[in-house]
Amino acid sequence: MLGLAAGCGADSGSDEAPAVEGPGASEQEDAGTTADDDTADDDTASEGAASDDGAASDDGGEAPAAGAAALPADADLATEQLPITAEKAVEIGLGAAGGGELVQIEIDHDDDVWEWELEIVDGGRQHDLDIDATSGEVTEHDQDDDDDQDPAVDVTSPMPYAEAIEIALGKEPGRASGWDLSSDDGRIHYTIDIDRSSGDDDVEVEVDVETGEVRVDD
């Protein structure tokens, strides 16, 4: 009977041995939990760093590269681009003026530098700004009362300045040495300064932004 009872006791524990909790079991479990937590923290930190990097790359408008090379005085604006584009110059000008509407913009090479000249009107106040076309620095900013009702102009619409230069050169081949966008009696037009390839005197070509009509002013 004693032998039979012992045999029954052995059979009842043969299916699955109970887990044995030794003195180091709790320490091993704690260590595993800590390792998992550290891994999760590292993953979170990595994701945060990646997110911060992305946010930094999306900040504001693109600033001109430090030490951007200036174009030479005889650059052709039909084929070469200034470090500070017309669009960027308008953005800088509006920021300096605190808002308003652009009513005139001009680019030319003067006093050994390429320079944007902008006229911005804001609530009856006129802002005349000079902006270095290489660095983006506002070199002059004058203000005065404005009673004129000049229409606002846009260097991208309805005719981008690159298209106006192309049209003007189709009429008078040469080097585009500068241009202006303004209005005359309510008619908005570009005036493209061209050094004729024939060697003759320089010429100004007006291009109407609405009709594309061209007029040559010798």
Side-chain angles (χ1 to χ4, degrees), residues 24 30 32 54 73 78 81-82 85 91-93 100 106 114 116 122 126 131 139 145 152 154 177-178 187 217:
D30 291 341
Q81 181 168 287
L82 292 158
T85 63
E91 180 184 336
I92 293 171
E106 179 180 357
W114 285 98
W116 292 104
D122 181 24
Q126 178 177 311
I131 300 172
T139 58
D145 292 333
D154 188 337
S177 59
R187 184 179 68 89
D217 184 5

Side-chain angles (χ1 to χ4, degrees), residues 84 89 92-93 96 104-108 110-111 113-120 127-143:
I84 301 299
I92 293 171
Q104 183 173 359
I105 179 171
E106 179 180 357
I107 179 66
D108 64 8
D110 189 25
D111 293 332
V113 295
W114 285 98
E115 187 174 66
W116 292 104
E117 297 178 12
L118 280 65
E119 182 179 320
I120 293 173
H127 300 259
D128 294 313
L129 302 107
D130 292 346
I131 300 172
D132 190 305
T134 299
S135 67
E137 178 187 0
V138 178
T139 58
E140 188 171 339
H141 182 181
D142 296 328
Q143 301 182 47

Side-chain angles (χ1 to χ4, degrees), residues 26-43:
S26 60
E27 289 86 352
Q28 293 176 2
E29 181 177 352
D30 291 341
T33 303
T34 303
D36 291 342
D37 291 342
D38 289 344
T39 302
D41 290 341
D42 290 343
D43 291 342

Side-chain angles (χ1 to χ4, degrees), residues 172 194 196 200-206 215-218:
E172 288 286 343
I194 298 177
R196 282 176 166 148
D200 295 337
D201 293 339
D202 300 344
V203 63
E204 293 182 346
V205 179
E206 289 187 3
R215 185 173 72 84
V216 178
D217 184 5
D218 283 315

Side-chain angles (χ1 to χ4, degrees), residues 142-155:
D142 296 328
Q143 301 182 47
D144 198 359
D145 292 333
D146 178 76
D147 297 326
D148 296 335
Q149 299 295 321
D150 293 333
V153 300
D154 188 337
V155 296

Side-chain angles (χ1 to χ4, degrees), residues 15-81:
D15 290 341
E16 183 176 349
V20 178
E21 293 187 9
S26 60
E27 289 86 352
Q28 293 176 2
E29 181 177 352
D30 291 341
T33 303
T34 303
D36 291 342
D37 291 342
D38 289 344
T39 302
D41 290 341
D42 290 343
D43 291 342
T44 302
S46 299
E47 291 172 5
S51 176
D52 290 342
D53 290 343
S57 65
D58 292 335
D59 283 346
E62 182 178 347
L71 291 184
D74 60 352
D76 186 350
L77 299 184
T79 58
E80 300 178 81
Q81 181 168 287

